[in-house]
Amino acid sequence: MGELIGLCLMPAYAIGCWIGLYKNADTGKHLLPAALFGWIWAIINIMRSKRIDLGVVTFGLVIIFTLLERYYGFTRGVRWAISAAALAVAANFSLVVVFWKPIQKDLSRSKSQLWLKVFFSYCFTLMIFWIVSAYKNFVRGEPSTSSYSSVQQ
């Protein structure tokens, strides 16, 4: 049952992230929901596998910095922090892409070939998504001390 849920959630989350980026790249409003979902998923992974998931840290940074934007505005520091945190998430997903052969070998003992293909595609797609999100965040609007927020109030 767990494998089936993953087979559905991985593409659904990726599609949701890309739709959010498409609709909100100019405001950054897609970042908090994408990071929050990923952070919760990382916590569930830790509870289920009893292994560390770096997503707890990387997604957590995106959450913290997007919330800071709510209070301080889209300042230069917040712009850099959100973009750097998004790149950290991308780096986390890139670990699977870079080290795919040993990961695939390990996971093939308990996961189907379909799951492995979906998982690799998911990690590759989300790596690209977070790189694009970091760039789009960095180039959106001019930094200011206004009360603009990427979080809906």
Side-chain angles (χ1 to χ4, degrees), residues 96-139:
V96 172
V97 175
V98 170
F99 298 109
W100 177 241
K101 288 298 180 190
I103 291 170
Q104 181 183 27
K105 184 178 178 183
D106 182 51
L107 289 175
S108 66
R109 291 180 229 159
S110 61
K111 301 292 184 184
S112 70
Q113 287 301 307
L114 175 61
W115 189 94
L116 292 170
K117 289 176 183 177
V118 169
F119 180 63
F120 180 83
S121 300
Y122 161 78
C123 290
F124 183 81
T125 301
L126 270 288
M127 176 188 71
I128 300 300
F129 165 80
W130 285 103
I131 291 169
V132 172
S133 290
Y135 171 77
K136 289 296 213 174
N137 178 75
F138 194 77
V139 299

Side-chain angles (χ1 to χ4, degrees), residues 60-70 77-78 81-82 84-85 150:
L61 291 172
V62 174
I63 292 167
I64 289 167
F65 296 136
T66 56
L67 290 174
L68 284 175
E69 181 182 356
R70 179 177 195 163
V78 168
I82 293 172
S150 68

Side-chain angles (χ1 to χ4, degrees), residues 77-91:
V78 168
R79 173 195 299 242
W80 278 91
I82 293 172
S83 295
L87 287 174
V89 174

